[in-house]
Amino acid sequence: MPSGILIIDKPAGWTSMDVCAKVRGIFHEKRVGHGGTLDPMATGVLPVFVGQATRAVEFAENGQKEYVAGLRLGQVTDTQDVTGTTLETRPVTADRVALEALLPRFLGEQEQIPPMYSAVKVGGQKLYDLARKGQVVERKPRRITIYELELLAQESGTDYLLRCRCSKGTYIRTLCHDIGRQLGCGGTLYALRRTMAAGFRLDQAVALEAVQAQGTALLLPTDSLFAEYPALPLTSGLLEKRVRCGNPVTLPGTPDGTYRVYSRDRQFLCLSRAAGGTLTSIKNFFGA
């Protein structure tokens, strides 16, 4: 059965689940998941996990992400992007210098209130379901971190391109809305392209048409998700047996840290943590 990671360049107009459904059909594999939702209007990096590799989805979702976002000043919409209904249009007096001076205020750990048009649940109901009924409810702010935020280009008197590297759970729509509010003219998102997710970059991404044509040849191995961690090959059958049974193993002299653990024949077995010379599995990736 096929197993591995596809780095899809998601097309505009598709939901992330639309992409997963397409991949299920191509590979005839029910186990397909993605590593971080993109709104339909957004394009760019969408890691898609196939078969046994779906065990790694949770690690992809929690990683940093990077975007190139189009900020339009002077417009406020109900969805915080241009797919929504315009609520206000205001004159724009802020210039490029004012925008650049403001951006550093948004760096670092902070609280962000999720938009009404989002999948966040309040009282067991998704916010976008309430929003479509015309309801606006109080939302609890969520802790996010913006690691990098820079102005890339000015495309018109009101339109700017920003690059943002941020934590899981950051709404770029809301960031644009909040920037516009701070500048006093309002702002909305008019374009969004994800350029990095789970450590995978845009130059690794492929179109769905390529997946249709090339199939399993485009699957990356599951351990490529954990390339930042050093490899640790097991040297004996006894150690390998203990790991496969889910037991900790003693490896004196192994520095503390996280490792990609491999069998003697180079099969990726698990992601493990070493502490005090004992290696304990975080997540196993062998088996059916």
Side-chain angles (χ1 to χ4, degrees):
M1 299 296 289
S3 180
I5 306 170
L6 289 168
I7 312 305
I8 301 294
D9 186 349
K10 189 190 84 66
W14 289 58
T15 69
S16 299
M17 292 308 297
D18 288 340
V19 173
C20 288
K22 182 67 174 179
V23 171
R24 281 190 199 97
I26 292 172
F27 289 108
H28 306 290
E29 169 60 65
K30 293 181 180 179
R31 295 173 298 170
V32 175
H34 64 78
T37 301
L38 281 174
D39 288 341
M41 72 171 283
T43 65
V45 176
L46 181 68
V48 174
F49 296 74
V50 179
Q52 192 171 313
T54 53
R55 294 182 179 184
V57 166
E58 63 188 278
F59 298 95
E61 292 175 334
N62 292 329
Q64 293 184 23
K65 298 172 176 63
E66 184 180 272
Y67 300 87
V68 171
L71 164 65
R72 177 163 296 157
L73 297 179
Q75 182 180 10
V76 178
T77 73
D78 58 353
T79 59
Q80 301 180 347
D81 62 35
V82 293
T83 68
T85 300
T86 298
L87 302 177
E88 293 181 74
T89 55
R90 303 175 188 169
V92 178
T93 57
D95 59 10
R96 177 173 183 147
V97 173
L99 175 58
E100 284 189 295
L102 176 67
L103 294 183
R105 300 186 198 175
F106 287 90
L107 291 171
E109 189 175 353
Q110 59 201 267
E111 291 189 336
Q112 186 185 67
I113 298 175
M116 277 302 302
Y117 281 87
S118 67
V120 174
K121 289 185 177 181
V122 172
Q125 291 185 282
K126 292 182 178 179
L127 286 175
Y128 61 66
D129 288 332
L130 298 174
R132 287 165 183 162
K133 297 175 183 177
Q135 300 179 37
V136 177
V137 299
E138 185 176 353
R139 288 95 70 198
K140 291 183 179 179
R142 304 198 302 178
R143 299 299 294 179
I144 64 162
T145 303
I146 296 179
Y147 301 98
E148 298 175 21
L149 182 61
E150 66 170 325
L151 176 59
L152 296 179
Q154 181 173 1
E155 298 204 309
S156 74
T158 60
D159 291 0
Y160 296 85
L161 288 181
L162 307 176
R163 181 185 68 85
C164 179
R165 182 183 287 257
C166 56
S167 66
K168 172 188 176 181
T170 303
Y171 283 93
I172 305 299
R173 290 182 279 141
T174 301
L175 174 63
C176 288
H177 175 85
D178 291 344
I179 289 172
R181 182 177 57 191
Q182 288 290 318
L183 290 172
C185 57
T188 194
L189 178 76
Y190 71 84
L192 186 65
R193 186 154 177 77
R194 188 154 69 191
T195 54
M196 188 276 289
F200 299 108
R201 303 201 64 85
L202 192 57
D203 59 7
Q204 297 173 274
V206 298
L208 283 169
E209 292 80 5
V211 180
Q212 185 77 64
Q214 301 179 52
T216 56
L218 296 176
L219 287 170
L220 300 177
T222 305
D223 57 344
S224 63
L225 179 64
F226 307 112
E228 64 185 291
Y229 302 118
L232 181 60
L234 298 177
T235 56
S236 77
L238 178 60
L239 288 175
E240 184 177 327
K241 182 177 180 180
R242 287 188 60 81
V243 167
R244 288 184 180 276
C245 290
N247 297 317
V249 296
T250 301
L251 293 173
T254 303
D256 290 357
T258 302
Y259 293 88
R260 291 175 285 130
V261 179
Y262 294 86
S263 67
R264 289 171 298 165
D265 62 0
R266 297 298 299 173
Q267 178 191 358
F268 178 47
L269 296 178
C270 55
L271 189 69
S272 296
R273 182 173 292 113
T278 298
L279 190 70
T280 305
S281 174
I282 300 170
K283 186 81 172 185
N284 294 333
F285 294 99
F286 54 84

